[in-house]
Structures are given as C-alpha cells and as structure tokens.
Amino acid sequence: LPAQGLTLQGIAAGADGESAGFGSASLLCGAALAACAARCLARRALGKGAEIEEPSSRRSLLAGAGLACVAAIAGVAQEASAEEAPPNVDVPDRISEDPFVLVGLADPDNEKEDKKEFYMKKKYRQDTYQLVKHMKISGSLDKGTPNMEKWNKRVKEEMNDWIALYRRQDLVVGRQSYYSLYSAVNTLASHFTSYGPKFPFPNKRRPRFFELINTTEKYLEKGK
C-alpha cells in the first residue's frame, strides 16, 4: 500500500532506481567473469590437473555475483520483450488544441472556473472520473500544443490532490480502480519528473498508460 508521506516526486524516483540497480548488477557480473578468467589462466599455468584453493567467502561472492548477473540479464530481456509487444489497446490520436479550451475553460487564471474544473469534490467516483479525463488529455497532447506546460502543471497538482485525499481512506485504497489509476499516476508523474511539463508524453509509453486508464474506467463502471 502507498506510504503516508508519498509524493509524486517519490513515486517517479522509483523508476530511476531501477537503472541504478541494473548498473550494480552489471558491475558484479563483470567482476564474476573477470575472476573466472583469472582462475582459468592460473590453472593453465599450474597444469591441467592442478586445483586452486579458494576461500569460501570468495566462492560465495562469485556465486552471488553470478546470480546478480543472471537476474540483470533476465530483467533486461523481460523489459525488451515488453517493449516489443505493447499492450493491445486503442491509443487515442494526439491533441493539438488548447486543452483548457477543450474542457470549456476559456480563462485558466479564473479561480472560480479552475476550482470547478480541477478541485476535488470529495466523492471518490466523481473525482476519479475527473482526474482520468484530465490525465487522458495530458497523455495525448502533441508537440507545440498551446498551454501544454500550464495544463500539465495543473494536472500534476490535481494528481497530488487526489493521492493526498484518498490514500488514507481504507475503503478507497482497497478498490481495484484506485490501484490501476495509482499506477497511471505513477507513469505520468515519472514523465513530468524526468522531462518536465513542456514535452509530450512519449509514444512508446502511451499503450501501457492508456491500458491503465481504460482499466480504471472499467472498474469504476463496475463500482470497484
């Protein structure tokens, strides 16, 4: 379950930690291979039948490095496989129209209209549908779309508000729609953190993102 002090920055930081983990595993893998090569050379120098004594701690280290190497290779293979076979989901076309105009908000700086469009109404179903609608727009904005940065910043605030309001409610956190939208928030937040609100959401991540969005809507329709 999400931690109490979780923020969108904390969510997005998890994605960066994965690449660091792969880097450590690669170093261990390289160390294991180098050690094995050195051992083979030593055996050749001493003769084919010679045995080389190794401390048990070194054997344990090499074994652990080997396992880390296998895990890293498996993880990379799995990630590559996921990229080659994106989810079978209908991805909407890109949007080039001003997103605020699209939702009927002619003046984004109008506090009354902003509150009506973006503030949480403290009704889970209504607030979740509202956030889903706005996130779908963020995930579809095309390069050069007017007010893209302003819209994405506002949606980021709205995602923060949604998480802050509902992560403490046990009846909500147990819902399947909460988990699927939480994952979608994670995906969009990581993009904002890595690239900022000025850049369109990347095409390669859109199938998975909209799969989560569609799943959320299906669960909401079923009251889950």
Side-chain angles (χ1 to χ4, degrees):
L1 295 180
Q4 293 293 322
L6 194 59
T7 63
L8 288 181
Q9 288 76 12
I11 296 171
D16 297 331
E18 293 180 2
S19 59
F22 283 124
S24 299
S26 298
L27 289 175
L28 287 173
C29 180
L33 293 175
C36 288
R39 189 167 179 236
C40 289
L41 290 174
R43 278 181 174 173
R44 285 185 181 181
L46 292 174
K48 293 184 178 179
E51 291 294 332
I52 298 173
E53 293 294 330
E54 291 187 30
S56 59
S57 59
R58 181 178 297 179
R59 292 196 187 102
S60 299
L61 175 61
L62 292 176
L67 289 175
C69 180
V70 172
I73 293 172
V76 171
Q78 184 177 7
E79 182 179 354
S81 176
E83 290 181 359
E84 291 174 1
N88 185 18
V89 59
D90 290 332
V91 177
D93 294 334
R94 288 286 186 178
I95 297 172
S96 57
E97 183 181 353
D98 187 323
F100 290 101
V101 174
L102 197 62
V103 298
L105 190 58
D107 182 10
D109 297 321
N110 185 311
E111 293 185 6
K112 183 177 180 180
E113 293 299 318
D114 177 86
K115 183 175 182 179
K116 181 180 178 181
E117 182 68 32
F118 290 99
Y119 274 43
M120 295 292 105
K121 313 306 186 293
K122 297 184 178 181
K123 295 180 180 179
Y124 174 76
R125 184 183 176 88
Q126 182 179 354
D127 289 339
T128 303
Y129 268 125
Q130 172 185 300
L131 181 59
V132 163
K133 179 181 77 172
H134 296 156
M135 288 176 64
K136 288 168 73 172
I137 293 175
S138 279
S140 298
L141 295 179
D142 204 355
K143 185 177 181 180
T145 300
N147 279 326
M148 178 193 293
E149 181 178 10
K150 192 179 188 72
W151 172 270
N152 284 337
K153 285 182 176 179
R154 189 63 188 89
V155 171
K156 183 178 179 180
E157 292 178 12
E158 187 181 24
M159 291 192 300
N160 265 323
D161 292 341
W162 184 83
I163 291 175
L165 178 60
Y166 291 112
R167 72 180 179 216
R168 298 184 179 89
Q169 300 185 24
D170 293 339
L171 292 178
V172 168
V173 171
R175 287 179 178 234
Q176 292 171 305
S177 58
Y178 175 87
Y179 282 114
S180 57
L181 186 57
Y182 184 87
S183 297
V185 167
N186 180 358
T187 302
L188 190 57
S190 68
H191 169 70
F192 290 156
T193 300
S194 299
Y195 300 99
K198 295 182 180 180
F199 296 94
F201 192 68
N203 286 328
K204 66 180 180 180
R205 303 184 70 184
R206 295 184 77 216
R208 174 58 179 162
F209 174 73
F210 281 101
E211 181 186 36
L212 291 168
I213 290 293
N214 293 345
T215 299
T216 300
E217 291 178 320
K218 290 177 181 177
Y219 282 140
L220 285 174
E221 290 171 4
K222 296 177 181 179
K224 297 181 178 181

